[in-house]
Amino acid sequence: MPSSSLRSLSPLRFLFFLSGRVYAIPRSIGLLSDSRVQAAVQECYDQANSTNPVGFDFGQCPALVGCVLSTLPPDVSAGMQSGTNIASLVPTILALIGAAPLDLVQLAFVSPLRAIATCVFGVGLPVGLFRQFQTHLPHLADKKPDEPTSREWIIPVPKPNKSGAFRLLKTILIDATIVALASVMVWRNVALGLQTVVTWRCEYSWLLLCWPVACVGWLLIALALLYALTKKIEIRYSEDPPNAYPPRNQLDLVLLPYRTPRPRHPAHDRVPLQDMDRTVSSQSTTSRINKGVVNASLALTPASMPQVHFPGVSGPVFYVNIIMRYGDSWRWFESTIEALAVGVYLYATFVLTSSLFLSGEQAMLYATVMILSLSAIRILEGYATADLANNPSACSMSALRPSLLKDGFVIIPSLLPRTSLPALRTAAARSTSLARSSQWPHIRTLPKHYFADDVVRVVGELLDCGEEELVMELYNLLVGPDRDFELRWHRDDVPATATAEKEMEALGRGWSGSGQGHAQWNLALFDDESLVVVPGSHCRVRTEAERDAGPYEVLEGQVVVKLEAGDAVFYDNNILHRGVYEAGRERMTLHGSMGRSGGQKRARNVLQHGIGEWVGRCDFGNLDGSIGKRAEGMRARLMEFGRGRTAEKVGYSHAD
């Protein structure tokens, strides 16, 4: 092309010209290597004249396409028809492989690069459009019906690696490979667009390239819409103290694939509970508490209670709480981005269905490259997150135990699947009815779920031990009273009359001392707000205000533990706590404890309930396989633990 012609080109056309020169793929009808197709094209050019021109310009392209189609041999035309049919299936297959619309938005929070590479050709199709507005279907309701404006995303954190440089290099290589695969997919569309024509706009070679551009545009629109509808985004790290400073932001999430975040320190004007010197005298300890240790618990509101998502991910996590401006914002947001995703899918299908001069061999190669590339991207994303702290069988110090050490309690959402709630509620109601009518004198029982994998897994992690060390203890069903009822402030194994010295001595044997011998929990079958605790009080003596307070008085820094049905709270039994029970509120909560073998100091707390006198008569015959073996082993260790001890011999923690 002469230099004068280059100067006359517009910038956009000049860019296309350069790209064609660099990659040596000129605009053509079919593959240049296909001699029969090129012979037909040449024949059409030879027959053209000034009154009937052919080419790729406006007004000339339809004549060229019609001429070539009429000139091609029938077998070549049939092969190209099959090629079009094969290519038209590619968007559907990629939609089945690709990530769901909301999953891509979540991925963009952590890795925008991977989100773009994944959605270039693969926005997954939703289950059904506008299902969010079918509120008569219970499974389509919001995850939090009482808080329709709020959604919480839980993002696992990679486990620390011995070699941080190795992990960083691996992540960079994975990201580079993902980008290369996405580039291959884009280039295949560029090449295919230059070698085919679309019937309804044959002059344009970039119609197929608009597909990945539209996918990226969809992601940008989805994120922009999310931010436009969002009132507030709260980002918390499970390892941070409640009053950590500075607060977390989205940059922490973007850097998450490349580094493991370090817990941040509390605000400079707070004193962390775990830093309190437990060896000083009771007087100096109390003065420290009055100077600010108790104030640290004031930052712990119910909305920021220590929580760990389990099962599935037992390690540290980020909580991303997105609060929308309006009640129906989430429904409108999800339905809008899903509808747009379907629109992109339909566009790609229309373009490929309308593409001409695509041979069967060429279409199979195109489909194979596209499908394998997206599949490889999805696999690499899975491999990149394979080092997440999600090993549920490991009894290690991950997020559960540090949270319990720091706050004295930890909430585990959905420990019990909602699908199992109806059967357990029915069984609990039957047991309650029999007990209240005096038809069943054995109030205490041990249901199968006491020995379930999820429960044993959490207890093992909290006690930092293996399953073979666990000892069966207590499992009670706590139900609503006939009248309003409250328990006084107390610690389970420390009398209220204990001096500061005796109190500190007893607390030093717990989680923060020489090692804990048991784990205690409440597992709610209905929403439960009965437990009230003072966070951090498990590792300090009572303040003067707490000693002088009435048994039912509101204490500074107290928190009401709010559980949804299926949630569990594990707590130190020596945290300052009490119970508040409403007669008109449905309550069925499984209250259990499980111990660790060798903990002789635990004898009084367990055997004072008389468990050693009846546990040998429990029938575990209906527990099969590993569950039955686990139950028998835990009972055997309990019976050995209580051999020669009775409730009268071990004594009681409290006089009343």
Side-chain angles (χ1 to χ4, degrees):
M1 179 178 289
S3 58
S4 58
S5 300
L6 286 175
R7 287 192 296 270
S8 64
L9 289 176
S10 66
L12 184 60
R13 295 186 64 184
F14 180 68
L15 182 62
F16 276 108
F17 166 76
L18 285 181
S19 64
R21 288 288 183 176
V22 170
Y23 295 104
I25 301 182
R27 184 77 193 275
S28 64
I29 297 288
L31 289 173
L32 293 176
S33 58
D34 193 330
S35 58
R36 292 200 292 178
V37 174
Q38 297 309 314
V41 173
Q42 188 60 44
E43 183 178 343
C44 291
Y45 273 107
D46 293 341
Q47 295 175 359
N49 51 52
S50 58
T51 59
N52 188 25
V54 296
F56 292 108
D57 294 332
F58 284 97
Q60 300 179 6
C61 189
L64 175 62
V65 171
C67 177
V68 173
L69 288 176
S70 62
T71 308
L72 284 176
D75 61 322
V76 176
S77 297
M80 289 185 171
Q81 183 60 48
S82 67
T84 299
N85 294 337
I86 293 172
S88 65
L89 297 174
V90 171
T92 301
I93 299 173
L94 296 184
L96 296 175
I97 301 173
L102 196 58
D103 291 342
L104 285 170
V105 174
Q106 294 178 7
L107 180 60
F109 270 71
V110 179
S111 178
L113 180 68
R114 294 177 190 172
I116 292 174
T118 304
C119 82
V120 164
F121 293 103
V123 181
L125 291 177
V127 176
L129 278 179
F130 310 118
R131 67 193 186 284
Q132 293 85 0
F133 300 101
Q134 301 176 28
T135 54
H136 62 284
L137 300 177
H139 64 282
L140 298 181
D142 286 326
K143 294 181 180 179
K144 294 182 178 180
D146 56 334
E147 299 180 26
T149 62
S150 177
R151 290 284 179 88
E152 188 173 70
W153 295 342
I154 299 175
I155 302 173
V157 173
K159 293 184 295 187
N161 193 289
K162 293 182 179 179
S163 174
F166 172 78
R167 174 173 164 248
L168 178 62
L169 179 61
K170 184 189 76 170
T171 304
I172 293 175
L173 288 176
I174 289 174
D175 285 347
T177 305
I178 288 175
V179 171
L181 289 170
S183 301
V184 169
M185 298 169 71
V186 173
W187 177 242
R188 289 303 307 177
N189 270 32
V190 172
L192 195 66
L194 291 170
Q195 297 164 358
T196 60
V197 295
V198 178
T199 55
W200 35 275
R201 274 294 181 266
C202 63
E203 298 87 0
Y204 301 145
S205 62
W206 41 263
L207 290 177
L208 199 52
L209 181 61
C210 288
W211 177 17
V213 173
C215 289
V216 175
W218 169 88
L219 181 61
L220 297 177
I221 291 173
L223 292 173
L225 183 61
L226 177 66
Y227 281 105
L229 294 174
T230 296
K231 179 180 180 181
K232 181 171 60 174
I233 298 180
E234 299 172 340
I235 300 176
R236 296 180 290 114
Y237 182 38
S238 62
E239 301 299 279
D240 288 342
N243 57 338
Y245 183 84
R248 298 287 178 175
N249 53 45
Q250 198 159 343
L251 181 60
D252 293 295
L253 299 179
V254 174
L255 296 176
L256 187 57
Y258 307 98
R259 64 176 179 86
T260 300
R262 294 183 179 180
R264 288 179 175 169
H265 298 292
H268 60 83
D269 58 342
R270 311 278 187 178
V271 180
L273 294 170
Q274 61 269 31
D275 290 344
M276 189 173 67
D277 186 358
R278 301 180 181 86
T279 63
V280 298
S281 65
S282 60
Q283 182 177 0
S284 61
T285 302
T286 302
S287 65
R288 286 191 182 196
I289 294 171
N290 290 332
K291 287 181 181 178
V293 175
V294 172
N295 290 337
S297 66
L298 294 178
L300 189 64
T301 62
S304 61
M305 283 194 247
Q307 296 188 353
V308 176
H309 183 74
F310 194 95
V313 176
S314 62
V317 295
F318 269 100
Y319 297 99
V320 181
N321 189 33
I322 301 178
I323 303 173
M324 291 291 194
R325 298 180 183 274
Y326 312 106
D328 288 334
S329 294
W330 274 111
R331 296 176 183 268
W332 283 104
F333 171 71
E334 289 188 38
S335 61
T336 300
I337 64 174
E338 288 178 358
L340 291 175
V342 171
V344 174
Y345 159 78
L346 291 176
Y347 171 81
T349 303
F350 293 158
V351 170
L352 287 170
T353 304
S354 305
S355 296
L356 300 177
F357 308 113
L358 181 61
S359 67
E361 180 182 357
Q362 191 179 4
M364 287 187 288
L365 177 62
Y366 170 74
T368 302
V369 170
M370 298 288 286
I371 294 169
L372 290 181
S373 296
L374 182 58
S375 300
I377 288 175
R378 300 285 283 158
I379 293 171
L380 285 172
E381 286 176 354
Y383 178 71
T385 57
D387 60 349
L388 295 180
N390 62 353
N391 183 2
S393 62
C395 289
S396 60
M397 292 282 289
S398 64
L400 292 177
R401 188 172 168 89
S403 294
L404 195 58
L405 283 169
K406 177 169 64 69
D407 301 302
F409 72 106
V410 60
I411 296 174
I412 303 176
S414 302
L415 179 65
L416 191 66
R418 287 192 173 271
T419 53
S420 62
L421 288 176
L424 285 173
R425 288 171 177 170
T426 301
R430 184 168 58 249
S431 300
T432 302
S433 177
L434 290 172
R436 282 179 166 166
S437 61
S438 300
Q439 298 180 39
W440 185 25
H442 307 291
I443 306 300
R444 291 190 176 92
T445 183
L446 285 169
K448 179 179 180 180
H449 192 268
Y450 179 85
F451 305 103
D453 292 340
D454 291 344
V455 174
V456 171
R457 192 178 299 145
V458 175
V459 172
E461 183 167 345
L462 290 175
L463 300 184
D464 195 20
C465 70
E467 178 184 324
E468 67 281 355
E469 300 179 64
L470 296 179
V471 178
M472 186 176 73
E473 290 190 356
L474 305 174
Y475 211 39
N476 303 329
L477 174 61
L478 308 179
V479 298
D482 296 327
R483 57 183 175 80
D484 290 351
F485 178 70
E486 296 184 27
L487 291 177
R488 65 180 61 187
W489 287 107
H490 67 284
R491 307 183 194 265
D492 285 357
D493 200 30
V494 181
T497 56
T499 64
E501 289 81 2
K502 292 292 184 182
E503 190 174 9
M504 180 58 69
E505 179 184 353
L507 296 178
R509 297 193 298 263
W511 295 95
S512 53
S514 58
Q516 180 70 350
H518 80 289
Q520 181 168 303
W521 68 90
N522 287 354
L523 177 57
L525 302 185
F526 289 94
D527 292 355
D528 194 332
E529 300 180 8
S530 302
L531 180 64
V532 185
V533 300
V534 179
S537 59
H538 64 300
C539 60
R540 61 167 176 80
V541 300
R542 286 166 292 171
T543 65
E544 291 299 327
E546 290 167 346
R547 285 181 176 275
D548 297 338
Y552 312 110
E553 188 175 331
V554 175
L555 297 183
E556 183 179 11
Q558 75 172 43
V559 168
V560 177
V561 178
K562 297 184 178 182
L563 301 178
E564 296 184 5
D567 293 352
V569 56
F570 284 75
Y571 61 99
D572 190 314
N573 69 329
N574 279 332
I575 192 174
L576 274 175
H577 66 283
R578 72 186 192 97
V580 180
Y581 313 108
E582 300 178 16
R585 184 172 185 142
E586 186 70 56
R587 189 193 189 213
M588 291 182 181
T589 296
L590 299 171
H591 173 72
S593 68
M594 198 175 290
R596 180 177 183 175
S597 59
Q600 301 302 317
K601 296 177 182 178
R602 179 66 176 155
R604 181 179 65 194
N605 245 17
V606 177
L607 300 178
Q608 67 180 348
H609 298 283
I611 185 174
E613 300 171 12
W614 56 264
V615 69
R617 301 193 299 272
C618 285
D619 182 13
F620 296 144
N622 63 331
L623 302 180
D624 300 327
S626 61
I627 298 292
K629 182 179 179 181
R630 177 184 295 160
E632 293 291 352
M634 292 174 64
R635 173 168 60 179
R637 287 185 285 274
L638 173 62
M639 295 180 68
E640 178 64 27
F641 174 66
R643 192 178 304 278
R645 299 184 176 95
T646 63
E648 289 74 16
K649 290 183 180 180
V650 299
Y652 299 91
S653 299
H654 300 272
D656 55 354

Short mmCIF file of all heavy atoms in Angstrom, two decimals, residues 620-655:
data_model
loop_
_atom_site.label_atom_id
_atom_site.label_comp_id
_atom_site.label_asym_id
_atom_site.label_seq_id
_atom_site.Cartn_x
_atom_site.Cartn_y
_atom_site.Cartn_z
N PHE A 620 -25.89 -48.57 71.43
CA PHE A 620 -25.39 -47.98 70.20
C PHE A 620 -25.52 -48.94 69.01
O PHE A 620 -24.84 -48.80 68.01
CB PHE A 620 -23.92 -47.57 70.36
CG PHE A 620 -23.70 -46.50 71.38
CD1 PHE A 620 -22.57 -46.50 72.19
CD2 PHE A 620 -24.64 -45.49 71.56
CE1 PHE A 620 -22.36 -45.51 73.14
CE2 PHE A 620 -24.45 -44.49 72.51
CZ PHE A 620 -23.32 -44.50 73.30
N GLY A 621 -26.39 -49.91 69.14
CA GLY A 621 -26.52 -50.93 68.10
C GLY A 621 -27.04 -50.40 66.79
O GLY A 621 -26.80 -51.01 65.74
N ASN A 622 -27.75 -49.26 66.81
CA ASN A 622 -28.30 -48.71 65.56
C ASN A 622 -27.31 -47.78 64.85
O ASN A 622 -27.64 -47.21 63.82
CB ASN A 622 -29.60 -47.96 65.84
CG ASN A 622 -29.37 -46.76 66.75
OD1 ASN A 622 -28.46 -46.77 67.56
ND2 ASN A 622 -30.21 -45.75 66.62
N LEU A 623 -26.13 -47.62 65.41
CA LEU A 623 -25.10 -46.80 64.77
C LEU A 623 -24.17 -47.71 63.99
O LEU A 623 -23.47 -48.54 64.57
CB LEU A 623 -24.32 -46.00 65.82
CG LEU A 623 -25.15 -45.07 66.71
CD1 LEU A 623 -24.25 -44.34 67.70
CD2 LEU A 623 -25.93 -44.07 65.88
N ASP A 624 -24.14 -47.54 62.70
CA ASP A 624 -23.39 -48.44 61.83
C ASP A 624 -22.02 -47.86 61.50
O ASP A 624 -21.77 -46.66 61.58
CB ASP A 624 -24.16 -48.70 60.53
CG ASP A 624 -25.51 -49.34 60.78
OD1 ASP A 624 -25.60 -50.11 61.76
OD2 ASP A 624 -26.45 -49.05 60.02
N GLY A 625 -21.14 -48.75 61.05
CA GLY A 625 -19.87 -48.35 60.48
C GLY A 625 -19.00 -47.55 61.42
O GLY A 625 -18.90 -47.82 62.63
N SER A 626 -18.38 -46.50 60.86
CA SER A 626 -17.42 -45.71 61.63
C SER A 626 -18.10 -44.94 62.76
O SER A 626 -17.47 -44.69 63.80
CB SER A 626 -16.71 -44.73 60.69
OG SER A 626 -17.64 -43.84 60.08
N ILE A 627 -19.39 -44.56 62.59
CA ILE A 627 -20.09 -43.83 63.64
C ILE A 627 -20.24 -44.72 64.88
O ILE A 627 -19.98 -44.30 66.02
CB ILE A 627 -21.47 -43.36 63.16
CG1 ILE A 627 -21.32 -42.40 61.98
CG2 ILE A 627 -22.24 -42.70 64.30
CD1 ILE A 627 -20.70 -41.08 62.34
N GLY A 628 -20.65 -45.98 64.67
CA GLY A 628 -20.79 -46.90 65.79
C GLY A 628 -19.47 -47.18 66.47
O GLY A 628 -19.38 -47.23 67.71
N LYS A 629 -18.43 -47.38 65.69
CA LYS A 629 -17.10 -47.62 66.25
C LYS A 629 -16.63 -46.42 67.05
O LYS A 629 -16.02 -46.55 68.12
CB LYS A 629 -16.12 -47.94 65.12
CG LYS A 629 -14.71 -48.27 65.59
CD LYS A 629 -13.82 -48.61 64.40
CE LYS A 629 -12.39 -48.92 64.86
NZ LYS A 629 -11.50 -49.22 63.71
N ARG A 630 -16.90 -45.22 66.53
CA ARG A 630 -16.52 -44.00 67.23
C ARG A 630 -17.25 -43.88 68.56
O ARG A 630 -16.64 -43.53 69.59
CB ARG A 630 -16.83 -42.80 66.34
CG ARG A 630 -16.56 -41.45 66.98
CD ARG A 630 -17.00 -40.34 66.03
NE ARG A 630 -16.21 -40.34 64.81
CZ ARG A 630 -16.60 -39.76 63.67
NH1 ARG A 630 -17.79 -39.16 63.61
NH2 ARG A 630 -15.83 -39.79 62.60
N ALA A 631 -18.56 -44.18 68.57
CA ALA A 631 -19.35 -44.08 69.80
C ALA A 631 -18.85 -45.06 70.86
O ALA A 631 -18.73 -44.70 72.04
CB ALA A 631 -20.82 -44.34 69.47
N GLU A 632 -18.59 -46.29 70.45
CA GLU A 632 -18.11 -47.28 71.42
C GLU A 632 -16.76 -46.88 72.00
O GLU A 632 -16.50 -47.04 73.20
CB GLU A 632 -18.01 -48.65 70.75
CG GLU A 632 -19.34 -49.26 70.34
CD GLU A 632 -20.18 -49.67 71.55
OE1 GLU A 632 -19.67 -49.62 72.69
OE2 GLU A 632 -21.35 -50.03 71.36
N GLY A 633 -15.87 -46.35 71.16
CA GLY A 633 -14.57 -45.93 71.65
C GLY A 633 -14.67 -44.78 72.63
O GLY A 633 -13.99 -44.76 73.67
N MET A 634 -15.52 -43.79 72.34
CA MET A 634 -15.68 -42.64 73.23
C MET A 634 -16.32 -43.05 74.55
O MET A 634 -15.96 -42.53 75.61
CB MET A 634 -16.50 -41.55 72.53
CG MET A 634 -15.77 -40.91 71.34
SD MET A 634 -16.79 -39.75 70.41
CE MET A 634 -17.09 -38.50 71.65
N ARG A 635 -17.27 -44.00 74.50
CA ARG A 635 -17.87 -44.48 75.74
C ARG A 635 -16.85 -45.24 76.58
O ARG A 635 -16.80 -45.08 77.81
CB ARG A 635 -19.07 -45.37 75.47
CG ARG A 635 -19.61 -46.02 76.75
CD ARG A 635 -20.93 -46.67 76.58
NE ARG A 635 -20.94 -47.73 75.60
CZ ARG A 635 -22.03 -48.45 75.31
NH1 ARG A 635 -23.17 -48.17 75.91
NH2 ARG A 635 -21.99 -49.39 74.40
N ALA A 636 -16.05 -46.08 75.93
CA ALA A 636 -15.05 -46.85 76.68
C ALA A 636 -14.08 -45.93 77.40
O ALA A 636 -13.71 -46.17 78.55
CB ALA A 636 -14.31 -47.80 75.73
N ARG A 637 -13.67 -44.85 76.74
CA ARG A 637 -12.74 -43.92 77.39
C ARG A 637 -13.42 -43.17 78.54
O ARG A 637 -12.78 -42.84 79.54
CB ARG A 637 -12.19 -42.94 76.34
CG ARG A 637 -11.18 -43.58 75.39
CD ARG A 637 -10.56 -42.58 74.45
NE ARG A 637 -11.45 -42.15 73.38
CZ ARG A 637 -11.60 -42.79 72.23
NH1 ARG A 637 -10.92 -43.90 72.00
NH2 ARG A 637 -12.43 -42.33 71.31
N LEU A 638 -14.72 -42.89 78.40
CA LEU A 638 -15.44 -42.25 79.49
C LEU A 638 -15.56 -43.18 80.70
O LEU A 638 -15.35 -42.76 81.84
CB LEU A 638 -16.84 -41.82 79.02
CG LEU A 638 -17.76 -41.29 80.13
CD1 LEU A 638 -17.18 -40.02 80.75
CD2 LEU A 638 -19.16 -41.03 79.58
N MET A 639 -15.89 -44.44 80.46
CA MET A 639 -16.04 -45.38 81.56
C MET A 639 -14.71 -45.58 82.28
O MET A 639 -14.66 -45.71 83.50
CB MET A 639 -16.60 -46.69 81.04
CG MET A 639 -18.02 -46.56 80.48
SD MET A 639 -18.71 -48.11 79.84
CE MET A 639 -18.89 -49.02 81.37
N GLU A 640 -13.62 -45.58 81.50
CA GLU A 640 -12.31 -45.68 82.12
C GLU A 640 -11.99 -44.41 82.91
O GLU A 640 -11.42 -44.47 84.01
CB GLU A 640 -11.25 -45.90 81.04
CG GLU A 640 -9.82 -45.97 81.56
CD GLU A 640 -9.58 -47.16 82.47
OE1 GLU A 640 -10.30 -48.19 82.31
OE2 GLU A 640 -8.69 -47.07 83.33
N PHE A 641 -12.41 -43.30 82.38
CA PHE A 641 -12.20 -42.00 83.01
C PHE A 641 -12.94 -41.92 84.34
O PHE A 641 -12.45 -41.35 85.31
CB PHE A 641 -12.68 -40.91 82.05
CG PHE A 641 -12.67 -39.52 82.61
CD1 PHE A 641 -11.49 -38.89 82.93
CD2 PHE A 641 -13.85 -38.82 82.80
CE1 PHE A 641 -11.48 -37.60 83.43
CE2 PHE A 641 -13.85 -37.54 83.29
CZ PHE A 641 -12.66 -36.92 83.61
N GLY A 642 -14.15 -42.52 84.41
CA GLY A 642 -14.98 -42.42 85.61
C GLY A 642 -14.91 -43.63 86.51
O GLY A 642 -15.71 -43.73 87.45
N ARG A 643 -14.01 -44.54 86.24
CA ARG A 643 -13.93 -45.74 87.05
C ARG A 643 -13.63 -45.38 88.51
O ARG A 643 -12.64 -44.72 88.83
CB ARG A 643 -12.84 -46.66 86.52
CG ARG A 643 -12.88 -48.07 87.13
CD ARG A 643 -11.79 -48.95 86.52
NE ARG A 643 -11.88 -49.02 85.07
CZ ARG A 643 -12.71 -49.83 84.41
NH1 ARG A 643 -13.51 -50.62 85.08
NH2 ARG A 643 -12.73 -49.83 83.09
N GLY A 644 -14.51 -45.83 89.41
CA GLY A 644 -14.32 -45.58 90.84
C GLY A 644 -14.79 -44.22 91.30
O GLY A 644 -14.68 -43.88 92.48
N ARG A 645 -15.33 -43.41 90.37
CA ARG A 645 -15.79 -42.08 90.75
C ARG A 645 -17.30 -42.00 90.59
O ARG A 645 -17.86 -42.44 89.60
CB ARG A 645 -15.15 -41.00 89.86
CG ARG A 645 -13.62 -40.93 89.93
CD ARG A 645 -13.15 -39.76 89.08
NE ARG A 645 -11.71 -39.58 89.17
CZ ARG A 645 -10.84 -40.08 88.30
NH1 ARG A 645 -11.27 -40.82 87.29
NH2 ARG A 645 -9.55 -39.87 88.45
N THR A 646 -17.97 -41.40 91.52
CA THR A 646 -19.41 -41.14 91.44
C THR A 646 -19.64 -39.66 91.67
O THR A 646 -18.73 -38.92 92.08
CB THR A 646 -20.20 -41.95 92.47
OG1 THR A 646 -19.79 -41.54 93.80
CG2 THR A 646 -19.95 -43.45 92.30
N ALA A 647 -20.88 -39.23 91.45
CA ALA A 647 -21.18 -37.81 91.63
C ALA A 647 -20.92 -37.37 93.06
O ALA A 647 -20.44 -36.27 93.31
CB ALA A 647 -22.64 -37.55 91.25
N GLU A 648 -21.23 -38.25 94.03
CA GLU A 648 -21.03 -37.88 95.43
C GLU A 648 -19.54 -37.76 95.76
O GLU A 648 -19.12 -36.91 96.56
CB GLU A 648 -21.69 -38.92 96.34
CG GLU A 648 -23.22 -38.88 96.33
CD GLU A 648 -23.79 -39.46 95.04
OE1 GLU A 648 -23.05 -40.16 94.30
OE2 GLU A 648 -24.98 -39.20 94.76
N LYS A 649 -18.72 -38.61 95.13
CA LYS A 649 -17.29 -38.61 95.45
C LYS A 649 -16.56 -37.42 94.84
O LYS A 649 -15.64 -36.87 95.44
CB LYS A 649 -16.65 -39.91 94.96
CG LYS A 649 -17.06 -41.13 95.77
CD LYS A 649 -16.34 -42.37 95.28
CE LYS A 649 -16.75 -43.60 96.09
NZ LYS A 649 -16.05 -44.82 95.61
N VAL A 650 -16.93 -37.03 93.64
CA VAL A 650 -16.20 -35.94 92.99
C VAL A 650 -16.67 -34.57 93.45
O VAL A 650 -15.97 -33.58 93.30
CB VAL A 650 -16.33 -36.02 91.45
CG1 VAL A 650 -15.76 -37.32 90.94
CG2 VAL A 650 -17.78 -35.86 91.01
N GLY A 651 -17.88 -34.48 94.00
CA GLY A 651 -18.38 -33.20 94.47
C GLY A 651 -19.05 -32.41 93.36
O GLY A 651 -19.24 -32.89 92.24
N TYR A 652 -19.40 -31.15 93.66
CA TYR A 652 -20.15 -30.32 92.72
C TYR A 652 -19.47 -28.95 92.59
O TYR A 652 -18.85 -28.45 93.52
CB TYR A 652 -21.60 -30.14 93.19
CG TYR A 652 -22.35 -31.45 93.27
CD1 TYR A 652 -22.38 -32.17 94.46
CD2 TYR A 652 -22.99 -31.96 92.16
CE1 TYR A 652 -23.05 -33.38 94.54
CE2 TYR A 652 -23.68 -33.16 92.22
CZ TYR A 652 -23.70 -33.87 93.41
OH TYR A 652 -24.36 -35.07 93.48
N SER A 653 -19.61 -28.35 91.41
CA SER A 653 -18.98 -27.05 91.17
C SER A 653 -19.64 -25.94 91.97
O SER A 653 -18.98 -25.02 92.43
CB SER A 653 -19.05 -26.72 89.67
OG SER A 653 -18.37 -27.68 88.92
N HIS A 654 -20.97 -26.00 92.09
CA HIS A 654 -21.74 -24.97 92.79
C HIS A 654 -22.60 -25.63 93.85
O HIS A 654 -23.12 -26.74 93.66
CB HIS A 654 -22.62 -24.19 91.82
CG HIS A 654 -21.83 -23.49 90.75
ND1 HIS A 654 -21.32 -22.23 90.90
CD2 HIS A 654 -21.46 -23.90 89.50
CE1 HIS A 654 -20.68 -21.87 89.80
NE2 HIS A 654 -20.75 -22.88 88.93
N ALA A 655 -22.79 -24.91 94.94
CA ALA A 655 -23.60 -25.46 96.02
C ALA A 655 -25.06 -25.64 95.61
O ALA A 655 -25.76 -26.51 96.13
CB ALA A 655 -23.51 -24.54 97.25
#
